Coordinates of all heavy atoms in Angstrom, one line a residue:
M2 N 97.8 68.4 114.9 CA 98.8 68.9 115.9 C 98.0 70.0 116.7 O 97.2 70.7 116.2 CB 100.0 69.5 115.2 CG 101.1 69.9 116.1 SD 102.4 70.6 115.2 CE 103.1 71.6 116.5
K3 N 98.4 70.1 118.0 CA 97.8 71.1 118.8 C 98.8 72.2 119.2 O 99.9 71.9 119.4 CB 97.2 70.4 120.1 CG 95.9 69.7 119.8 CD 95.6 68.7 120.9 CE 94.3 68.0 120.5 NZ 94.1 66.8 121.3
Y4 N 98.2 73.4 119.2 CA 99.1 74.5 119.4 C 98.5 75.4 120.4 O 97.2 75.6 120.4 CB 99.3 75.3 118.1 CG 100.5 76.1 118.0 CD1 101.7 75.6 117.5 CD2 100.5 77.5 118.3 CE1 102.9 76.3 117.4 CE2 101.7 78.2 118.2 CZ 102.9 77.6 117.8 OH 104.0 78.4 117.7
P5 N 99.2 76.0 121.4 CA 98.6 76.8 122.4 C 98.1 78.1 121.9 O 98.6 78.7 120.9 CB 99.7 77.0 123.4 CG 101.0 76.8 122.7 CD 100.6 75.8 121.7
R6 N 97.0 78.7 122.5 CA 96.4 79.9 122.1 C 97.3 81.1 122.5 O 97.3 82.2 121.8 CB 95.1 80.1 122.7 CG 94.0 79.7 121.8 CD 92.6 79.9 122.5 NE 91.7 78.8 122.1 CZ 91.1 78.7 121.0 NH1 91.3 79.7 120.1 NH2 90.3 77.7 120.7
T7 N 98.0 81.0 123.5 CA 98.9 82.1 123.9 C 100.3 81.5 124.2 O 100.4 80.5 124.8 CB 98.5 82.8 125.2 OG1 98.3 81.9 126.2 CG2 97.2 83.6 125.0
V8 N 101.3 82.2 123.7 CA 102.7 81.8 123.9 C 103.6 83.0 124.3 O 103.3 84.1 124.0 CB 103.4 81.2 122.6 CG1 102.8 79.8 122.3 CG2 103.2 82.1 121.4
N9 N 104.6 82.6 125.0 CA 105.5 83.7 125.5 C 106.7 83.7 124.5 O 107.5 82.7 124.5 CB 106.0 83.4 126.9 CG 106.6 84.6 127.6 OD1 106.2 85.7 127.2 ND2 107.4 84.4 128.5
R10 N 106.8 84.7 123.7 CA 107.9 84.8 122.7 C 108.6 86.1 122.7 O 108.1 87.1 123.2 CB 107.2 84.6 121.3 CG 106.9 83.2 120.9 CD 108.1 82.3 120.7 NE 107.7 80.9 120.6 CZ 107.3 80.3 119.6 NH1 107.2 80.9 118.5 NH2 107.0 79.0 119.6
Y11 N 109.7 86.1 122.0 CA 110.5 87.3 121.9 C 109.8 88.2 120.9 O 109.5 87.8 119.8 CB 111.9 87.0 121.4 CG 112.8 88.2 121.3 CD1 113.3 88.8 122.4 CD2 113.1 88.7 120.0 CE1 114.1 90.0 122.2 CE2 113.8 89.8 119.8 CZ 114.4 90.4 120.9 OH 115.2 91.5 120.7
C12 N 109.6 89.5 121.3 CA 109.1 90.4 120.3 C 110.2 91.4 119.9 O 110.8 92.1 120.7 CB 107.9 91.2 121.0 SG 107.3 92.6 119.9
P13 N 110.5 91.5 118.6 CA 111.6 92.3 118.1 C 111.4 93.8 118.3 O 112.3 94.6 118.4 CB 111.7 92.0 116.7 CG 110.9 90.8 116.4 CD 109.9 90.7 117.5
T14 N 110.1 94.2 118.4 CA 109.8 95.6 118.6 C 109.9 96.0 120.0 O 110.5 97.1 120.4 CB 108.4 95.9 118.1 OG1 108.2 95.3 116.9 CG2 108.2 97.4 117.9
C15 N 109.4 95.2 120.9 CA 109.5 95.5 122.4 C 110.9 95.1 122.9 O 111.3 95.5 124.0 CB 108.4 94.7 123.2 SG 106.8 95.1 122.6
R16 N 111.6 94.2 122.2 CA 112.9 93.7 122.5 C 112.9 92.9 123.8 O 114.0 92.9 124.5 CB 113.9 94.9 122.6 CG 114.2 95.5 121.3 CD 115.2 96.6 121.4 NE 115.8 96.9 120.2 CZ 116.7 97.9 120.0 NH1 117.2 98.5 121.1 NH2 117.2 98.2 118.9
T17 N 111.8 92.4 124.2 CA 111.8 91.4 125.3 C 110.8 90.3 125.0 O 110.1 90.4 124.0 CB 111.4 92.1 126.6 OG1 110.3 92.9 126.4 CG2 112.5 92.8 127.3
H18 N 110.7 89.3 125.9 CA 109.7 88.3 125.7 C 108.4 88.9 126.2 O 108.3 89.5 127.3 CB 110.1 87.1 126.6 CG 111.0 86.2 125.8 ND1 112.3 86.5 125.6 CD2 110.8 85.0 125.3 CE1 112.9 85.5 124.9 NE2 112.0 84.6 124.7
K19 N 107.4 88.7 125.4 CA 106.0 89.2 125.7 C 105.0 88.1 125.4 O 105.3 87.2 124.6 CB 105.7 90.4 124.9 CG 106.5 91.6 125.2 CD 106.1 92.3 126.4 CE 107.0 93.5 126.7 NZ 106.9 94.0 128.1
K20 N 103.8 88.2 126.0 CA 102.8 87.3 125.7 C 102.2 87.5 124.3 O 102.0 88.7 123.9 CB 101.7 87.4 126.7 CG 100.8 86.2 126.7 CD 99.7 86.4 127.8 CE 100.0 85.5 129.0 NZ 98.9 85.6 130.0
H21 N 102.1 86.5 123.5 CA 101.5 86.6 122.1 C 100.3 85.8 122.0 O 100.2 84.7 122.4 CB 102.6 86.1 121.1 CG 103.7 87.0 120.8 ND1 104.7 87.2 121.8 CD2 104.0 87.8 119.8 CE1 105.6 88.1 121.3 NE2 105.2 88.5 120.1
N22 N 99.3 86.4 121.3 CA 98.1 85.7 121.0 C 98.3 85.0 119.6 O 98.8 85.6 118.7 CB 96.9 86.7 120.9 CG 96.6 87.3 122.2 OD1 96.7 86.6 123.3 ND2 96.3 88.6 122.2
V23 N 97.8 83.8 119.5 CA 98.1 83.0 118.3 C 96.8 82.9 117.5 O 95.7 82.6 118.0 CB 98.6 81.6 118.7 CG1 98.9 80.8 117.5 CG2 99.8 81.7 119.6
S24 N 96.9 83.1 116.2 CA 95.8 82.8 115.3 C 96.5 82.1 114.1 O 97.7 82.1 114.0 CB 95.1 84.0 114.9 OG 96.0 84.9 114.3
L25 N 95.7 81.6 113.2 CA 96.2 80.9 112.1 C 96.3 81.8 110.9 O 95.4 82.6 110.6 CB 95.3 79.7 111.7 CG 95.5 78.5 112.6 CD1 94.6 77.4 112.2 CD2 96.9 78.0 112.8
Y26 N 97.4 81.7 110.2 CA 97.6 82.6 109.0 C 96.7 82.1 107.9 O 96.7 80.9 107.6 CB 99.1 82.5 108.6 CG 99.3 83.1 107.2 CD1 99.3 84.5 107.0 CD2 99.5 82.3 106.1 CE1 99.5 85.0 105.7 CE2 99.7 82.8 104.8 CZ 99.7 84.1 104.6 OH 99.9 84.6 103.4
K27 N 96.0 83.0 107.2 CA 95.2 82.6 106.1 C 95.6 83.5 104.9 O 95.8 84.7 105.0 CB 93.7 82.8 106.4 CG 93.2 81.6 107.1 CD 91.7 81.7 107.3 CE 91.2 80.6 108.2 NZ 90.5 81.1 109.4
K28 N 95.7 82.9 103.7 CA 96.1 83.6 102.5 C 95.0 84.5 102.1 O 93.8 84.2 102.2 CB 96.3 82.5 101.4 CG 97.1 83.0 100.3 CD 97.2 81.9 99.3 CE 97.9 82.5 98.0 NZ 97.9 81.4 96.9
G29 N 95.4 85.8 101.8 CA 94.4 86.8 101.3 C 94.0 86.5 99.9 O 94.5 85.7 99.2
K30 N 92.9 87.2 99.5 CA 92.3 86.9 98.2 C 93.3 87.6 97.1 O 93.7 88.7 97.3 CB 91.0 87.6 98.1 CG 90.1 87.0 97.0 CD 88.8 87.7 96.9 CE 88.2 87.4 95.6 NZ 87.2 88.4 95.2
E31 N 93.5 86.8 96.0 CA 94.4 87.3 95.0 C 93.6 88.4 94.1 O 92.5 88.2 93.7 CB 94.8 86.2 94.1 CG 95.9 86.6 93.1 CD 96.1 85.5 92.0 OE1 95.5 84.5 92.1 OE2 96.8 85.8 91.1
R32 N 94.3 89.5 93.9 CA 93.7 90.5 93.0 C 93.9 90.0 91.6 O 94.9 89.5 91.2 CB 94.4 91.8 93.2 CG 94.1 92.4 94.6 CD 95.0 93.7 94.8 NE 96.4 93.4 94.8 CZ 97.3 94.0 94.1 NH1 97.0 95.1 93.4 NH2 98.6 93.7 94.2
M33 N 92.8 90.2 90.8 CA 92.9 89.7 89.4 C 93.7 90.6 88.5 O 94.0 90.2 87.4 CB 91.4 89.6 88.8 CG 90.6 88.6 89.5 SD 91.5 87.0 89.8 CE 91.6 86.4 88.1
M34 N 94.0 91.8 88.9 CA 94.8 92.7 88.1 C 96.2 92.9 88.5 O 96.9 93.8 88.1 CB 94.1 94.1 88.0 CG 92.8 94.1 87.2 SD 93.1 93.6 85.5 CE 93.9 95.1 84.9
N35 N 96.7 92.0 89.3 CA 98.1 92.2 89.7 C 99.1 91.8 88.6 O 98.7 91.2 87.6 CB 98.5 91.4 91.0 CG 98.3 89.9 90.8 OD1 98.2 89.4 89.7 ND2 98.3 89.2 91.9
Q36 N 100.3 92.2 88.7 CA 101.3 92.1 87.6 C 101.4 90.6 87.1 O 101.4 90.4 85.9 CB 102.6 92.7 87.9 CG 103.7 92.6 86.8 CD 103.2 93.4 85.6 OE1 103.0 94.6 85.6 NE2 103.0 92.7 84.5
G37 N 101.6 89.7 88.0 CA 101.8 88.3 87.7 C 100.6 87.8 86.9 O 100.8 87.0 86.0
R38 N 99.4 88.1 87.4 CA 98.2 87.6 86.8 C 98.1 88.1 85.4 O 97.7 87.4 84.5 CB 97.0 88.0 87.7 CG 95.6 87.6 87.2 CD 95.4 86.2 86.8 NE 95.8 85.2 87.8 CZ 95.9 83.9 87.5 NH1 95.7 83.5 86.3 NH2 96.3 83.1 88.5
R39 N 98.3 89.4 85.2 CA 98.2 90.1 83.9 C 99.2 89.4 82.9 O 98.9 89.2 81.8 CB 98.6 91.6 84.0 CG 97.5 92.4 84.7 CD 97.5 93.8 84.4 NE 98.8 94.4 84.6 CZ 99.2 95.2 85.6 NH1 98.3 95.3 86.6 NH2 100.4 95.7 85.7
R40 N 100.4 89.1 83.4 CA 101.4 88.5 82.6 C 101.0 87.1 82.1 O 101.1 86.8 80.9 CB 102.7 88.4 83.4 CG 104.0 88.1 82.5 CD 105.2 88.1 83.3 NE 105.5 89.4 83.9 CZ 105.9 89.7 85.2 NH1 106.0 88.6 86.0 NH2 106.1 90.9 85.6
V41 N 100.5 86.3 83.0 CA 100.0 85.0 82.7 C 98.9 85.1 81.7 O 98.9 84.3 80.7 CB 99.6 84.2 83.9 CG1 98.8 82.9 83.6 CG2 100.7 83.9 84.8
E42 N 97.9 86.0 81.9 CA 96.8 86.1 81.0 C 97.3 86.5 79.6 O 96.8 86.0 78.6 CB 95.8 87.2 81.5 CG 95.1 86.8 82.8 CD 94.2 85.6 82.6 OE1 93.6 85.4 81.5 OE2 94.1 84.8 83.6
R43 N 98.2 87.4 79.5 CA 98.7 87.9 78.2 C 99.4 86.7 77.5 O 99.3 86.5 76.3 CB 99.7 89.0 78.5 CG 100.1 89.7 77.2 CD 100.5 91.1 77.4 NE 101.3 91.6 76.3 CZ 102.5 92.1 76.4 NH1 103.1 92.2 77.5 NH2 103.1 92.4 75.3
K44 N 100.2 85.9 78.3 CA 100.9 84.8 77.7 C 100.0 83.8 77.2 O 100.2 83.1 76.1 CB 101.9 84.3 78.7 CG 103.1 83.6 78.1 CD 104.1 83.4 79.2 CE 105.4 82.9 78.5 NZ 106.5 82.7 79.5
K45 N 98.9 83.5 77.9 CA 98.0 82.5 77.5 C 97.2 82.9 76.3 O 96.6 82.0 75.6 CB 97.0 82.2 78.7 CG 97.6 81.2 79.7 CD 96.7 80.7 80.7 CE 95.5 81.5 81.0 NZ 94.8 81.0 82.2
K46 N 97.1 84.2 76.0 CA 96.3 84.6 74.9 C 96.8 84.1 73.6 O 96.0 83.7 72.7 CB 96.3 86.2 74.9 CG 95.0 86.8 74.9 CD 95.1 88.3 74.9 CE 93.9 88.9 75.5 NZ 94.0 90.3 75.7
G47 N 98.2 84.0 73.5 CA 98.4 83.5 72.3 C 99.7 83.3 71.7 O 100.7 83.4 72.3
Y48 N 99.5 82.9 70.5 CA 100.5 82.3 69.6 C 100.8 80.9 70.1 O 101.6 80.7 71.0 CB 101.7 83.2 69.4 CG 101.9 83.4 68.0 CD1 101.2 84.4 67.3 CD2 102.7 82.6 67.2 CE1 101.3 84.5 65.9 CE2 102.8 82.7 65.9 CZ 102.1 83.7 65.3 OH 102.3 83.8 63.9
G49 N 100.3 79.9 69.4 CA 100.6 78.6 69.7 C 99.9 78.0 70.9 O 99.0 78.7 71.5
S50 N 100.3 76.8 71.3 CA 99.5 76.1 72.3 C 100.3 75.9 73.5 O 99.8 75.3 74.5 CB 99.0 74.8 71.7 OG 100.2 74.0 71.4
F51 N 101.5 76.4 73.6 CA 102.3 76.0 74.7 C 101.8 76.5 76.1 O 101.6 75.7 76.9 CB 103.8 76.4 74.5 CG 104.6 76.2 75.8 CD1 104.7 75.0 76.4 CD2 105.2 77.3 76.4 CE1 105.3 74.8 77.6 CE2 105.8 77.2 77.6 CZ 105.9 75.9 78.2
P52 N 101.7 77.8 76.3 CA 101.5 78.2 77.7 C 100.1 78.0 78.2 O 99.4 78.9 78.6 CB 101.8 79.7 77.7 CG 101.8 80.1 76.3 CD 101.7 79.0 75.4
K53 N 99.6 76.8 78.1 CA 98.3 76.4 78.7 C 98.5 75.9 80.1 O 99.6 75.3 80.4 CB 97.7 75.4 77.8 CG 96.9 75.9 76.7 CD 96.2 74.8 75.9 CE 95.6 75.4 74.6 NZ 95.2 74.4 73.7
E54 N 97.5 76.0 80.9 CA 97.6 75.4 82.2 C 97.5 73.9 82.1 O 96.6 73.4 81.5 CB 96.5 76.0 83.1 CG 96.8 77.4 83.5 CD 95.6 78.0 84.3 OE1 94.7 77.2 84.6 OE2 95.7 79.2 84.5
I55 N 98.5 73.3 82.7 CA 98.5 71.8 82.7 C 98.2 71.4 84.1 O 98.8 71.9 85.0 CB 99.8 71.3 82.2 CG1 100.3 71.9 80.9 CG2 99.8 69.8 82.1 CD1 101.7 71.8 80.6
F56 N 97.3 70.4 84.2 CA 97.0 69.9 85.6 C 98.1 68.9 86.0 O 98.3 67.9 85.3 CB 95.7 69.3 85.7 CG 95.4 68.7 87.0 CD1 95.2 69.5 88.1 CD2 95.5 67.3 87.2 CE1 94.9 69.0 89.3 CE2 95.2 66.8 88.5 CZ 95.0 67.6 89.5
H57 N 98.8 69.3 87.0 CA 99.8 68.3 87.6 C 99.2 67.7 88.8 O 98.6 68.3 89.6 CB 101.1 69.1 87.9 CG 101.8 69.6 86.8 ND1 102.5 68.9 85.9 CD2 101.9 70.9 86.3 CE1 103.0 69.7 84.9 NE2 102.6 70.9 85.2
R58 N 99.4 66.4 88.9 CA 98.9 65.7 90.1 C 99.6 66.2 91.3 O 100.8 66.4 91.3 CB 99.2 64.2 89.9 CG 98.3 63.4 90.8 CD 98.3 61.9 90.3 NE 99.7 61.4 90.3 CZ 100.2 60.8 91.3 NH1 99.5 60.6 92.4 NH2 101.5 60.3 91.3
N59 N 98.8 66.5 92.3 CA 99.4 67.1 93.5 C 100.4 66.1 94.1 O 100.1 65.0 94.4 CB 98.3 67.4 94.5 CG 97.5 68.6 94.1 OD1 97.9 69.3 93.3 ND2 96.3 68.7 94.7
A60 N 101.7 66.6 94.3 CA 102.7 65.8 94.8 C 102.6 65.8 96.3 O 102.9 64.8 97.0 CB 104.1 66.3 94.4
K61 N 102.2 66.9 96.9 CA 102.2 67.0 98.4 C 100.8 66.9 98.9 O 99.9 67.5 98.4 CB 102.9 68.3 98.8 CG 104.3 68.3 98.4 CD 105.1 69.5 98.8 CE 106.6 69.2 98.5 NZ 107.3 70.3 97.9
L62 N 100.7 66.1 99.9 CA 99.4 65.8 100.5 C 98.9 66.9 101.5 O 97.8 67.2 101.5 CB 99.4 64.5 101.2 CG 99.7 63.3 100.3 CD1 99.8 62.0 101.1 CD2 98.6 63.1 99.2
N63 N 99.9 67.4 102.2 CA 99.5 68.3 103.3 C 100.0 69.7 103.0 O 101.0 69.9 102.4 CB 100.1 67.9 104.6 CG 99.6 66.6 105.1 OD1 98.4 66.2 104.8 ND2 100.4 65.8 105.7
K64 N 99.1 70.7 103.3 CA 99.5 72.1 103.1 C 100.2 72.6 104.3 O 100.1 72.1 105.4 CB 98.3 72.9 102.9 CG 97.8 72.9 101.5 CD 96.8 73.9 101.2 CE 96.5 73.9 99.7 NZ 95.4 74.8 99.4
R65 N 101.0 73.6 104.1 CA 101.8 74.2 105.2 C 100.9 75.1 106.0 O 100.2 76.0 105.4 CB 103.0 75.0 104.6 CG 104.1 75.2 105.5 CD 105.2 75.7 104.7 NE 106.2 74.7 104.5 CZ 107.0 74.2 105.4 NH1 107.0 74.6 106.6 NH2 107.9 73.3 105.1
S66 N 100.8 74.9 107.3 CA 100.0 75.8 108.1 C 100.9 76.6 109.0 O 101.7 76.0 109.7 CB 98.9 75.1 108.8 OG 99.3 73.9 109.3
T67 N 100.6 77.9 109.1 CA 101.5 78.8 109.9 C 100.7 79.5 111.0 O 99.7 80.1 110.7 CB 102.0 79.9 108.9 OG1 102.5 79.3 107.7 CG2 103.1 80.6 109.5
P68 N 101.2 79.4 112.2 CA 100.6 80.2 113.3 C 101.1 81.6 113.2 O 102.3 81.9 112.8 CB 101.2 79.5 114.6 CG 101.9 78.3 114.1 CD 102.2 78.4 112.7
L69 N 100.2 82.5 113.5 CA 100.5 84.0 113.4 C 100.4 84.5 114.8 O 99.4 84.4 115.5 CB 99.5 84.6 112.5 CG 99.7 86.1 112.1 CD1 100.9 86.2 111.3 CD2 98.5 86.6 111.4
L70 N 101.6 85.1 115.3 CA 101.6 85.5 116.6 C 101.5 87.0 116.7 O 102.1 87.8 115.9 CB 103.0 85.2 117.2 CG 103.5 83.7 117.1 CD1 104.8 83.6 117.7 CD2 102.5 82.8 117.7
E71 N 100.6 87.5 117.6 CA 100.4 88.9 117.7 C 100.8 89.3 119.1 O 100.3 88.8 120.1 CB 98.9 89.3 117.5 CG 98.7 90.8 117.4 CD 97.3 91.1 117.2 OE1 96.4 90.2 117.0 OE2 97.0 92.4 117.1
C72 N 101.7 90.3 119.2 CA 102.2 90.8 120.5 C 101.0 91.4 121.3 O 100.3 92.3 120.7 CB 103.3 91.7 120.3 SG 104.0 92.4 121.9
S73 N 100.8 91.1 122.5 CA 99.7 91.7 123.3 C 100.0 93.1 123.7 O 99.1 93.8 124.1 CB 99.4 90.8 124.5 OG 100.6 90.7 125.3
E74 N 101.3 93.5 123.6 CA 101.6 94.9 124.0 C 101.6 95.9 122.9 O 101.0 96.9 122.9 CB 102.9 94.9 124.8 CG 102.9 96.0 125.8 CD 103.7 95.6 127.0 OE1 103.3 94.6 127.7 OE2 104.7 96.2 127.3
C75 N 102.4 95.6 121.9 CA 102.5 96.5 120.8 C 101.7 96.2 119.6 O 101.4 97.0 118.7 CB 104.0 96.7 120.3 SG 104.7 95.2 119.6
G76 N 101.1 94.9 119.5 CA 100.2 94.6 118.4 C 100.9 94.2 117.2 O 100.2 93.9 116.2
K77 N 102.2 94.1 117.1 CA 102.9 93.7 115.9 C 102.7 92.2 115.7 O 102.7 91.4 116.7 CB 104.4 93.9 116.1 CG 104.8 95.4 115.8 CD 105.2 95.6 114.4 CE 105.5 97.0 114.1 NZ 105.9 97.3 112.8
K78 N 102.7 91.8 114.5 CA 102.4 90.4 114.2 C 103.7 89.8 113.6 O 104.5 90.4 112.9 CB 101.3 90.2 113.1 CG 100.0 90.4 113.7 CD 98.9 90.4 112.7 CE 97.6 90.7 113.3 NZ 96.5 90.8 112.3
Q79 N 103.9 88.5 113.9 CA 105.0 87.8 113.3 C 104.7 86.3 113.2 O 103.8 85.8 113.9 CB 106.3 87.9 114.2 CG 106.1 87.7 115.7 CD 107.3 88.0 116.5 OE1 108.4 87.8 116.1 NE2 107.1 88.6 117.6
Y80 N 105.4 85.7 112.3 CA 105.1 84.3 112.0 C 105.9 83.4 112.9 O 107.0 83.7 113.2 CB 105.4 83.9 110.5 CG 104.6 84.7 109.6 CD1 105.2 85.7 108.8 CD2 103.3 84.5 109.4 CE1 104.5 86.5 107.9 CE2 102.5 85.3 108.5 CZ 103.2 86.2 107.7 OH 102.5 87.0 106.9
A81 N 105.2 82.3 113.2 CA 106.0 81.3 114.0 C 106.4 80.2 113.0 O 106.1 80.3 111.8 CB 105.1 80.7 115.1
K82 N 107.0 79.2 113.5 CA 107.5 78.1 112.7 C 106.3 77.4 112.1 O 105.3 77.1 112.8 CB 108.3 77.1 113.5 CG 109.0 76.1 112.7 CD 109.6 75.0 113.6 CE 110.2 73.9 112.7 NZ 110.5 72.7 113.6
S83 N 106.3 77.1 110.8 CA 105.2 76.5 110.1 C 105.4 75.0 109.9 O 106.6 74.5 109.9 CB 104.9 77.1 108.8 OG 106.0 76.9 107.9
Y84 N 104.3 74.2 109.8 CA 104.4 72.8 109.7 C 103.6 72.3 108.6 O 102.6 72.9 108.2 CB 103.9 72.1 111.0 CG 104.6 72.6 112.3 CD1 104.1 73.6 113.0 CD2 105.7 71.9 112.7 CE1 104.7 74.0 114.2 CE2 106.3 72.3 113.9 CZ 105.8 73.4 114.6 OH 106.5 73.8 115.7
R85 N 104.1 71.2 108.0 CA 103.3 70.5 107.0 C 102.5 69.4 107.7 O 103.0 68.3 107.9 CB 104.2 69.8 106.0 CG 104.3 70.6 104.7 CD 105.1 69.9 103.7 NE 105.5 70.9 102.7 CZ 104.7 71.5 101.9 NH1 103.4 71.1 101.8 NH2 105.1 72.4 101.1
I86 N 101.3 69.7 108.0 CA 100.5 68.8 108.7 C 99.0 68.9 108.2 O 98.7 69.8 107.6 CB 100.5 69.0 110.3 CG1 100.4 70.5 110.5 CG2 101.6 68.3 110.9 CD1 100.4 70.8 112.0
K87 N 98.3 67.9 108.6 CA 96.9 67.8 108.1 C 96.1 68.9 108.8 O 95.3 69.6 108.1 CB 96.3 66.5 108.4 CG 95.7 65.8 107.1 CD 95.4 64.4 107.4 CE 95.8 63.6 106.1 NZ 95.9 62.2 106.4
R88 N 96.2 69.1 110.1 CA 95.4 70.0 110.7 C 96.1 70.6 111.9 O 96.8 69.9 112.7 CB 94.1 69.4 111.3 CG 93.0 70.3 111.4 CD 91.7 69.6 111.6 NE 91.6 68.8 112.8 CZ 90.6 68.1 113.1 NH1 89.5 68.1 112.4 NH2 90.6 67.5 114.2
L89 N 96.0 71.9 112.1 CA 96.6 72.6 113.2 C 95.5 73.2 114.1 O 94.8 74.0 113.6 CB 97.6 73.8 112.7 CG 98.4 74.4 113.7 CD1 99.5 73.5 114.2 CD2 99.1 75.6 113.2
E90 N 95.5 72.7 115.3 CA 94.4 73.1 116.2 C 94.9 74.0 117.3 O 96.0 73.8 117.8 CB 93.8 71.9 116.9 CG 92.6 71.3 116.2 CD 92.1 70.1 116.8 OE1 91.9 70.1 118.1 OE2 91.9 69.1 116.1
L91 N 94.2 75.1 117.6 CA 94.6 75.9 118.7 C 93.8 75.4 119.9 O 92.6 75.1 119.9 CB 94.2 77.4 118.4 CG 94.9 78.0 117.2 CD1 94.4 79.4 117.0 CD2 96.4 78.0 117.5
Q92 N 94.5 75.4 121.0 CA 93.9 74.9 122.3 C 94.4 75.6 123.5 O 95.5 76.2 123.5 CB 94.1 73.4 122.4 CG 95.5 73.0 122.6 CD 95.6 71.7 123.3 OE1 96.7 71.2 123.5 NE2 94.6 71.0 123.7
E93 N 93.6 75.7 124.5 CA 94.0 76.3 125.8 C 94.9 75.3 126.5 O 94.6 74.1 126.5 CB 92.8 76.7 126.6 CG 91.8 77.6 126.0 CD 92.3 79.1 126.0 OE1 93.2 79.4 126.8 OE2 91.8 79.9 125.2
I94 N 95.8 75.9 127.2 CA 96.6 75.0 128.1 C 96.5 75.5 129.5 O 96.7 76.7 129.8 CB 98.1 74.9 127.7 CG1 98.2 74.2 126.3 CG2 98.9 74.2 128.7 CD1 99.6 74.1 125.8
Ligands
ZN27 ZN1 105.7 93.8 121.1

């Protein structure tokens, strides 16, 4: 799917429609010491064999890709509607 590099969208901070620059949202790196990770590690440590990681066959083929809109005036970022597609391309119109 193709998506424009700049879109005219409503900005909640400026309270009007403004030009937004589009980039693709990318997941940040997970910290190894966050609470959820620590909990999983502790649970996996022991007693019995249950809480092991089981490989489940991937049910979904496509990942969700989200355009990230940045207001050209105030610089606030907001997410646009995301799609489950193979590839999201940014292009000039
Ligand atoms: Zn704005």
Side-chain angles (χ1 to χ4, degrees):
M2 189 182 156
K3 283 163 183 166
Y4 204 89
R6 261 178 219 284
T7 54
V8 284
N9 199 25
R10 282 288 166 86
Y11 179 77
C12 174
T14 316
C15 304
R16 290 181 165 183
T17 44
H18 276 70
K19 295 282 177 197
K20 197 180 254 182
H21 284 73
N22 296 319
V23 183
S24 58
L25 287 180
Y26 166 77
K27 278 186 186 124
K28 198 178 172 185
K30 200 184 165 203
E31 189 194 352
R32 290 174 297 134
M33 292 317 287
M34 286 303 286
N35 63 14
Q36 181 59 64
R38 176 52 54 192
R39 291 202 305 263
R40 194 176 295 136
V41 170
E42 292 297 327
R43 187 155 164 237
K44 204 164 193 179
K45 275 194 335 195
K46 234 180 208 173
Y48 232 82
S50 61
F51 168 61
K53 273 183 188 164
E54 285 176 10
I55 309 160
F56 176 73
H57 295 287
R58 202 164 56 92
N59 287 341
K61 293 184 172 136
L62 298 172
N63 296 330
K64 278 195 172 168
R65 200 168 260 287
S66 43
T67 313
L69 187 63
L70 311 179
E71 189 180 359
C72 178
S73 58
E74 207 145 299
C75 65
K77 280 267 180 181
K78 286 176 183 173
Q79 48 188 320
Y80 299 110
K82 189 190 174 189
S83 63
Y84 302 92
R85 256 187 203 285
I86 40 176
K87 236 168 218 161
R88 205 165 66 179
L89 189 70
E90 267 176 48
L91 297 176
Q92 65 159 176
E93 300 284 342
I94 292 179

